[in-house]
Amino acid sequence: MAAADISVHGVLIAEMLLLVAVNDKGRVPFGSDSFVNIGLTGALLAELAIDGRLTIDADETVRAGDTRPGDALLADAYDAVREHLEGRKAKRVIGGLSRHIGGSRDRVVDRLVEGGVLGRDRPSAFRPTRHPVRDRAARQAVLDQVRAAATGDGPVRPDIAVVLALTGPCRLLERVAPERGTRGEAKRRIARVELIAAVAATATTIAAS
């Protein structure tokens, strides 16, 4: 995933969310780690739902669709739902998916490292591995689109809507609205796109009913 081809199309929603979350040193805001981890799992499920790979019934029961995705990470998430989590409520699926795919955050980080967007530095055996941003242009391309969606009044693509909707529960408001004066509008915008994200994620369910 090089800067030249990161128009955000073709990039997983979970990758976009993580790039919004991290600073140049690859760190998420203090106190946000666990929320971001859950958000990344939710992003994977939302992508599967938007693509019609799974459905969420009116009672929030999650069911796998008939078509397995070609992307390796999404395929693993799809398989985990189909083999271990199908028929459970969405919250339980979100709570159980990560361990079935080797850790949602670890998998997303690995993709971004392989794409050259993040690095993988381990200062010593006694210090944790760090993942600083290597391709700042790629990260900035994602930030620009999500920030534009947070403060603009135009239409928002479903994938960007999901990222923006997740920034609230992931405690990332300062990332999408770095200027204090824009945060009120960003909060209102996030509330509006939550409906877009929910409709996009359940569209295939409605079509199939």
Side-chain angles (χ1 to χ4, degrees), residues 152-167:
D153 55 7
V156 181
R157 288 204 325 263
D159 56 346
I160 298 294
V162 171
V163 175
L164 191 53
L166 287 170
T167 59

Side-chain angles (χ1 to χ4, degrees), residues 38-52:
I38 295 170
L40 292 171
T41 302
L44 292 172
L45 291 173
E47 185 127 26
L48 289 172
I50 289 171
D51 289 343

Side-chain angles (χ1 to χ4, degrees), residues 30 53 99 110 143 145:
F30 180 76
R53 312 293 183 173
R99 65 186 177 87
D110 286 347
L143 277 174
Q145 292 206 35

Side-chain angles (χ1 to χ4, degrees), residues 17 20 146 162-173 176 190:
L17 179 63
V20 169
V146 177
V162 171
V163 175
L164 191 53
L166 287 170
T167 59
C170 289
R171 301 186 176 182
L172 298 174
L173 181 61
V176 299
I190 288 169

Side-chain angles (χ1 to χ4, degrees), residues 120-130:
R120 195 188 303 276
D121 299 336
R122 190 175 186 186
S124 73
F126 305 101
R127 298 175 64 185
T129 302
R130 298 179 301 184

Side-chain angles (χ1 to χ4, degrees), residues 105-125:
R105 185 163 172 178
D106 288 341
R107 294 293 303 275
V108 174
V109 166
D110 286 347
R111 287 175 66 100
L112 292 170
V113 169
E114 290 167 6
V117 180
L118 298 182
R120 195 188 303 276
D121 299 336
R122 190 175 186 186
S124 73

Side-chain angles (χ1 to χ4, degrees), residues 26 29 32 57 74 99 104 123 125 150 156 168 184 193 197 199:
S32 295
D57 295 338
L74 293 179
R99 65 186 177 87
S104 298
V156 181
V193 301
V199 169

Side-chain angles (χ1 to χ4, degrees), residues 5 9 13 32-33 36-37 42 46 63 66 75 83 88 94 115 132 140 145 148 170 185 187:
D5 61 17
H9 288 294
I13 295 171
S32 295
D33 264 298
V36 169
N37 292 346
R63 301 193 183 281
D66 296 327
E83 296 170 12
R88 300 185 184 182
I94 291 173
Q140 192 62 47
Q145 292 206 35
C170 289
E185 176 56 31
K187 287 181 180 178

